[in-house]
Amino acid sequence: MEQVVVTGTRTRKMLTKSPILTKVVTNVELQEAGAVTALDAIEYSIPGVQFSPDAHGDNLQIQGLDNGYILVLVDGQRMVGETRGNVNFDRLNVSEIKRIEIVNGASSVLYGSNAIGAIINIITNDDSYLKPIQASIGSRYSANNEWLLTSNVGFSKDKFSIFLSGFRSSTDGYDLTPESPASYTVNKHIDYSAKIRLGYKINEKIAFSANSTYYQHETMNPPKSTKSTHDLNKDYIFGIKAVVQANQKHTLELKGNTDIYNAFTIYETKNDSINKDSDYSFSSAQLIDVYKPFERLEIIGGAEANSEKIYSLDLFGEREGIDKNAYDLNAFLQFDYSFLKNFEAVIGARYTYHSLYGNHFNPAFSILYSPGNFKFRGNIANGYKSPSLKELYYNFNHHGMFMIYGNPDLKPENAIFTSLSAEYTRKTFNVSLTAFINSIDDKIESVDRINNESEIPLEKYYVNIGETLIQGVETSVSFYIIKNLLTKTSYVYTNAEDKATGLQLWNNSKHAGTFALTYKMLNIKYPFSISLNGRAASGKMQEESVIETDEVTGEDVTTISKYKTDPYALWKLTYNQQFVVLKRIKTQIQLGINNIFDFTDNDDLAVIDPGRRVYAGIKIIF
């Protein structure tokens, strides 16, 4: 509970004193739960988080909203996906993650477009963690020939620091549909990543840092596949940052970041020749000023410029390739003021000029009342989401199965998010209850239309469907049952409804929960921990309307279909053991069982998991 967080207010706050309710997954929890990816850790820590991987990345959902409404940050900078918007969490090296902060609801005042459903800020280790010299190597093996190799080395002396890291991961994949052996549920793939971070501190007031990351993901076809091509993705990240402590009241930050995600096709019958299919780039420049004129008042303001560009051979109907781009300019201001006794209020606003949609204004207000061991929080915020370039300009033939069309007349989506929460903390006992409402106007959805006069009858269009109302309740509790035995439980109920049709948003699960039970002994010669983690959800609601033109009358006929997948629960057990081999060499051993009860979903594929599997890992720290 003494954790420092930054995402909710964009300034450093103690977790218990943050006016914006923030959930945190720490590095220790990542290790104790045997997390392989950041998303793996989030799923088992935050209720209602669901994802399913495919060729385009991880299809993420939180409280009924998908990738497009969830802003994923790495150290405060947007993490882009490929052209369809899915973020690939496998790009991140879990051993470098310091903590993960999650803020539900609209946060557009501080973070701009797309921050309607949630913010996930993945914070990596900074230079303050570096010793004069340090290094580590690690390896982990699991079923399906799943290998993970990691390494890093850091050096720090006087004003200069350098940190190098890399990983290689691979798997043979697995298939939950053996009746179609030519295609796997998850294909064989190999990932590589390398990162460098440089830091230089001129004096106590001025510091610079720069970082660059390369990531490669190559997907192979199953042995019985008849395809003669396979996919290759590459990602390049370049970032710089300057921090100036002007005086005791002013801190200035200047940041720049570019993330470029490329997609290639490898032609195996042409000596593995490579052709670029698309690339998506997002660049951002930010100037932020944190001003604290006196103890009770903190002001943060800034300016931000963002630019995005998509190049694609076929997404926009031109096989020879076509570019689409947009940019936005922003200014934001937020006041954080403590007044009376135990009251703190945060009020802020953002102005945005978008190259395609003109001007936009977003206000937000939060209040915290903290009498004794209680914390009461209230939050109302306006969020917005500008249509993506694909939603505007798609003209895509999906392998002859259906056509996808964009809509240049789409309007931006606007959301009003409201939440009330109560929290009680006493020593190591913590319990919280939150009620939330997220009302989204002009929500953009893909609708199906049957066009019997077309060579490809099934057509998908992007349209503004009207109002979507997401409301629910979330609760969590954590405490020590006995000394060294900690339990954490959370539950969320989410009703996500399209008000125009009365249908649930696609794949929404109304009930979801997580559970963790961890026993650890730290102050002994050979520290260890053993953790039981579980996550469960009710069936996913798959409700949709299909519009078909009557051949006789020429009128549109709407057909409603409803289906619900089976509920599920997944459990895993992880054992961590630490040894001191030599004075400066430490070894960590990890053993575990994923999906203890061997649950698989071969029919609906609502849960993409290959079943029970044992894993083992070792890490040596110098």
Side-chain angles (χ1 to χ4, degrees):
M1 300 306 298
E2 296 305 312
Q3 178 70 57
V4 174
V5 295
V6 297
T7 307
T9 61
R10 219 164 180 168
T11 56
R12 292 172 62 85
K13 295 275 188 182
M14 299 301 294
L15 178 61
T16 55
K17 297 180 180 180
S18 173
I20 310 298
L21 188 63
T22 305
K23 302 161 192 171
V24 178
V25 184
T26 66
N27 175 271
V28 172
E29 291 172 316
L30 287 170
Q31 180 180 327
E32 290 174 348
V36 180
T37 67
L39 193 51
D40 186 28
I42 295 169
E43 278 190 301
Y44 279 91
S45 302
I46 309 299
V49 176
Q50 301 183 50
F51 90 104
S52 54
D54 62 17
H56 310 303
D58 298 321
N59 298 297
L60 181 64
Q61 272 199 322
I62 297 179
Q63 294 179 350
L65 294 174
D66 60 20
N67 300 277
Y69 302 86
I70 301 164
L71 188 58
V72 181
L73 309 173
V74 178
D75 295 323
Q77 299 293 334
R78 286 180 183 238
M79 182 180 179
V80 308
E82 53 83 70
T83 53
R84 292 165 180 81
N86 300 24
V87 169
N88 187 346
F89 285 85
D90 291 341
R91 289 162 50 185
L92 300 169
N93 187 347
V94 174
S95 65
E96 292 181 33
I97 296 176
K98 182 178 178 181
R99 66 183 184 276
I100 303 172
E101 299 180 9
I102 300 99
V103 176
N104 284 342
S107 300
S108 292
V109 166
L110 293 178
Y111 297 101
S113 180
N114 295 61
I116 285 182
I119 297 282
I120 298 175
N121 192 6
I122 300 166
I123 298 169
T124 61
N125 293 326
D126 53 31
D127 296 339
S128 64
Y129 274 66
L130 287 179
K131 301 174 183 178
I133 187 168
Q134 66 181 53
S136 72
I137 56 173
S139 178
R140 171 174 163 144
Y141 181 78
S142 184
N144 304 311
N145 201 27
E146 185 179 289
W147 272 104
L148 174 63
L149 304 173
T150 63
S151 64
N152 67 66
V153 59
F155 173 78
S156 177
K157 184 177 182 181
D158 299 328
K159 300 178 179 181
F160 177 75
S161 66
I162 182 171
F163 181 79
L164 302 167
S165 68
F167 71 84
R168 178 194 183 277
S169 65
S170 62
T171 177
D172 286 346
Y174 57 88
D175 191 14
L176 298 178
T177 56
E179 67 276 5
S180 55
S183 62
Y184 275 10
T185 306
V186 172
N187 282 345
K188 177 180 179 179
H189 60 262
I190 302 174
D191 294 1
Y192 298 94
S193 181
K195 178 179 180 179
I196 181 171
R197 186 178 73 242
L198 302 172
Y200 184 72
K201 194 172 184 179
I202 296 178
N203 52 44
E204 292 301 318
K205 293 185 176 182
I206 304 175
F208 293 93
S209 63
N211 66 84
S212 180
T213 303
Y214 171 77
Y215 169 77
Q216 175 178 306
H217 173 82
E218 186 170 4
T219 304
M220 313 300 181
N221 296 315
K224 295 187 178 181
S225 172
T226 58
K227 291 181 64 177
S228 59
T229 64
H230 66 268
D231 296 329
L232 173 68
N233 295 319
K234 296 182 179 183
D235 182 72
Y236 308 86
I237 298 175
F238 308 95
I240 58 171
K241 178 181 176 181
V243 179
V244 180
Q245 184 75 45
N247 52 49
Q248 292 183 345
K249 297 180 179 181
H250 271 288
T251 302
L252 294 171
E253 281 190 0
L254 178 63
K255 300 178 181 180
N257 195 77
T258 295
D259 195 340
I260 304 170
Y261 197 93
N262 294 332
F264 301 87
T265 295
I266 297 181
Y267 294 86
E268 299 166 359
T269 56
K270 298 180 181 180
N271 298 320
D272 289 343
S273 62
I274 299 176
N275 184 65
K276 179 189 282 190
D277 296 320
S278 63
D279 70 64
Y280 175 38
S281 64
F282 185 90
S283 298
S284 179
Q286 303 169 11
L287 175 62
I288 300 171
D289 180 16
V290 179
Y291 175 51
K292 197 165 186 177
F294 51 89
E295 185 64 28
R296 289 177 173 269
L297 177 62
E298 187 172 57
I299 303 171
I300 179 171
E304 181 179 329
N306 302 308
S307 173
E308 63 175 323
K309 178 182 177 181
I310 293 180
Y311 160 81
S312 176
L313 282 180
D314 55 9
L315 292 182
F316 306 117
E318 300 286 344
R319 279 302 306 175
E320 64 270 19
I322 194 168
D323 290 332
K324 298 294 182 182
N325 55 74
Y327 69 87
D328 60 79
L329 305 174
N330 306 263
F332 62 89
L333 185 64
Q334 177 179 275
F335 296 86
D336 187 338
Y337 181 57
S338 300
F339 63 100
L340 299 178
K341 185 179 180 181
N342 302 320
F343 277 96
E344 184 174 353
V346 178
I347 185 169
R350 169 182 286 248
Y351 164 77
T352 298
Y353 172 78
H354 195 282
S355 59
L356 302 178
Y357 303 105
N359 302 313
H360 202 93
F361 180 76
N362 291 99
F365 175 75
S366 300
I367 191 165
L368 168 66
Y369 175 52
S370 50
N373 295 323
F374 289 92
K375 298 284 187 297
F376 299 98
R377 295 177 175 91
N379 180 32
I380 182 168
N382 175 225
Y384 83 100
K385 175 183 178 295
S386 58
S388 68
L389 293 174
K390 68 160 188 175
E391 292 168 339
L392 291 171
Y393 303 118
Y394 240 159
N395 183 2
F396 180 54
N397 182 339
H398 192 273
H399 307 298
M401 294 184 289
F402 53 83
M403 291 293 300
I404 306 177
Y405 294 106
N407 181 356
D409 296 324
L410 288 173
K411 296 181 290 186
E413 303 173 53
N414 283 277
I416 300 294
F417 177 80
T418 306
S419 68
L420 293 172
S421 69
E423 181 181 15
Y424 176 79
T425 303
R426 182 177 175 85
K427 296 183 179 179
T428 58
F429 176 82
N430 176 266
V431 60
S432 66
L433 177 66
T434 303
F436 59 87
I437 299 176
N438 202 351
S439 177
I440 305 174
D441 283 330
D442 295 319
K443 189 173 187 299
I444 298 171
E445 287 284 352
S446 171
V447 298
D448 293 346
R449 177 182 287 272
I450 304 298
N451 183 359
N452 292 315
E453 296 181 358
S454 173
E455 293 182 3
I456 304 176
L458 179 57
E459 299 174 344
K460 296 178 178 289
Y461 292 85
Y462 286 103
V463 298
N464 293 104
I465 63 172
E467 182 186 5
T468 294
L469 186 64
I470 302 170
Q471 50 191 336
V473 177
E474 183 173 344
T475 183
S476 66
V477 59
S478 65
F479 62 95
Y480 277 89
I481 300 174
I482 58 174
K483 185 179 180 181
N484 302 321
L485 182 61
L486 174 66
T487 183
K488 294 185 177 182
T489 305
S490 59
Y491 163 80
V492 62
Y493 167 80
T494 305
N495 185 62
E497 181 181 349
D498 174 359
K499 299 299 290 184
T501 63
L503 302 179
Q504 289 288 304
L505 296 189
W506 185 263
N507 272 345
N508 178 50
S509 294
K510 287 195 172 185
H511 307 274
T514 63
F515 175 82
L517 184 66
T518 303
Y519 182 78
K520 50 188 173 182
M521 295 288 290
L522 302 179
N523 298 320
I524 57 176
K525 186 176 181 179
Y526 301 114
F528 73 91
S529 70
I530 183 167
S531 295
L532 175 67
N533 296 83
R535 61 184 179 93
S538 59
K540 294 182 178 181
M541 315 288 285
Q542 297 179 350
E543 304 179 352
E544 64 177 339
S545 61
V546 178
I547 302 173
E548 187 171 0
T549 302
D550 190 290
E551 296 181 357
V552 178
T553 64
E555 297 180 352
D556 287 345
V557 178
T558 302
T559 303
I560 303 295
S561 66
K562 295 185 178 183
Y563 182 73
K564 186 177 180 180
T565 66
D566 292 332
Y568 70 89
L570 297 176
W571 295 86
K572 65 177 180 178
L573 186 68
T574 307
Y575 176 77
N576 291 280
Q577 179 69 66
Q578 183 173 300
F579 300 95
V580 177
V581 180
L582 296 174
K583 186 177 181 180
R584 295 187 177 181
I585 300 178
K586 184 168 60 176
T587 301
Q588 296 173 347
I589 295 176
Q590 187 175 87
L591 303 171
I593 305 174
N594 264 324
N595 198 346
I596 297 173
F597 301 105
D598 198 26
F599 176 86
T600 56
D601 183 6
N602 298 45
D603 297 325
D604 300 316
L605 299 181
V607 179
I608 308 296
D609 193 282
R612 184 189 302 115
R613 54 209 185 274
V614 176
Y615 61 89
I618 184 171
K619 184 177 183 180
I620 302 174
I621 302 171
F622 303 91

